[in-house]
Amino acid sequence: LVVDDTPDNLSLLSGLLREEYRVKLANSGDKALKAVQGDSPPDLILLDIMMPGMSGYEVCQVLKADPATRPIPIIFLTAMTSMEDEQKGLELGAADYITKPISPPIVLARVKTQLENKAMADFLRDQAAFLKAEVERQTQMVRAVQDATVLAMASLAETCLLYTSDAADDSLR
């Protein structure tokens, strides 16, 4: 998802990314928030900071506060070059920060890196969920074996008591 209030920037970034990626566009913070809702949220967001209405910082805060959108990497695109601005963006949860005017090779490299990082994070999250379920399944099996062992030992003890009792009765006769 590319979010920028300047049509030329949307056109430039869209043209740059369309060869390798499916690209959605939004020209405001509100439209960006609507675009991430639904069945197919974006894998990555390129987000301008200075926009009328809702700023990119505000959009980032909303996205990072929602567990459903928190994992989506955000790369800020901005003409703001101060270290404080960059630090603020990263503290809000952005994965990266690119200053304008953009360098197409830099944008492509950073998008690729963030998508690879997200794919790995998604894979690890899926593996962790699988392992958690597998541990639970194995734990249930161990408990079932333990329960069966306790029942078998109780039954064996009862059988031994009955045998001992019958043997004692036989010796008394």
Side-chain angles (χ1 to χ4, degrees):
L1 173 64
V2 178
V3 185
D4 198 308
D5 62 318
T6 306
D8 288 344
N9 290 340
L10 287 175
S11 179
L12 172 70
L13 290 164
S14 174
L16 178 65
L17 298 168
R18 281 200 195 279
E19 288 184 30
E20 294 187 47
Y21 307 104
R22 285 179 288 125
V23 179
K24 291 182 186 178
L25 303 175
N27 62 4
S28 72
D30 291 331
K31 289 180 182 174
L33 293 177
K34 288 178 183 150
V36 300
Q37 304 305 320
D39 296 336
S40 60
D43 292 318
L44 178 129
I45 300 171
L46 292 167
L47 180 60
D48 185 24
I49 293 176
M50 301 299 295
M51 296 183 291
M54 187 175 236
S55 75
Y57 289 142
E58 293 168 312
V59 172
C60 184
Q61 283 180 304
V62 170
L63 294 171
K64 294 304 176 180
D66 183 346
T69 56
R70 187 174 301 130
I72 301 171
I74 295 172
I75 299 175
F76 277 125
L77 298 171
T78 185
M80 298 167 38
T81 59
S82 77
M83 289 293 242
E84 292 81 19
D85 292 324
E86 185 172 348
Q87 180 180 352
K88 180 178 180 178
L90 296 173
E91 286 174 353
L92 288 173
D96 206 344
Y97 192 98
I98 299 173
T99 56
K100 295 176 184 175
I102 64 161
S103 163
I106 296 286
V107 170
L108 289 172
R110 292 188 180 179
V111 164
K112 180 180 178 190
T113 298
Q114 291 305 321
L115 289 173
E116 287 171 350
N117 290 347
K118 182 179 185 308
M120 182 57 71
D122 291 346
F123 172 76
L124 292 173
R125 193 172 22 262
D126 291 347
Q127 288 299 306
F130 169 77
L131 290 173
K132 182 179 178 182
E134 186 62 19
V135 165
E136 181 59 32
R137 188 181 73 77
Q138 294 287 337
T139 301
Q140 289 174 355
M141 287 176 55
V142 167
R143 286 185 186 136
V145 168
Q146 288 172 335
D147 292 347
T149 302
V150 168
L151 288 174
M153 290 177 73
S155 178
L156 180 61
E158 186 178 322
T159 301
C160 288
L161 284 174
L162 288 174
Y163 177 76
T164 305
S165 176
D166 287 346
D169 288 345
D170 287 346
S171 68
L172 290 176
R173 291 192 202 142

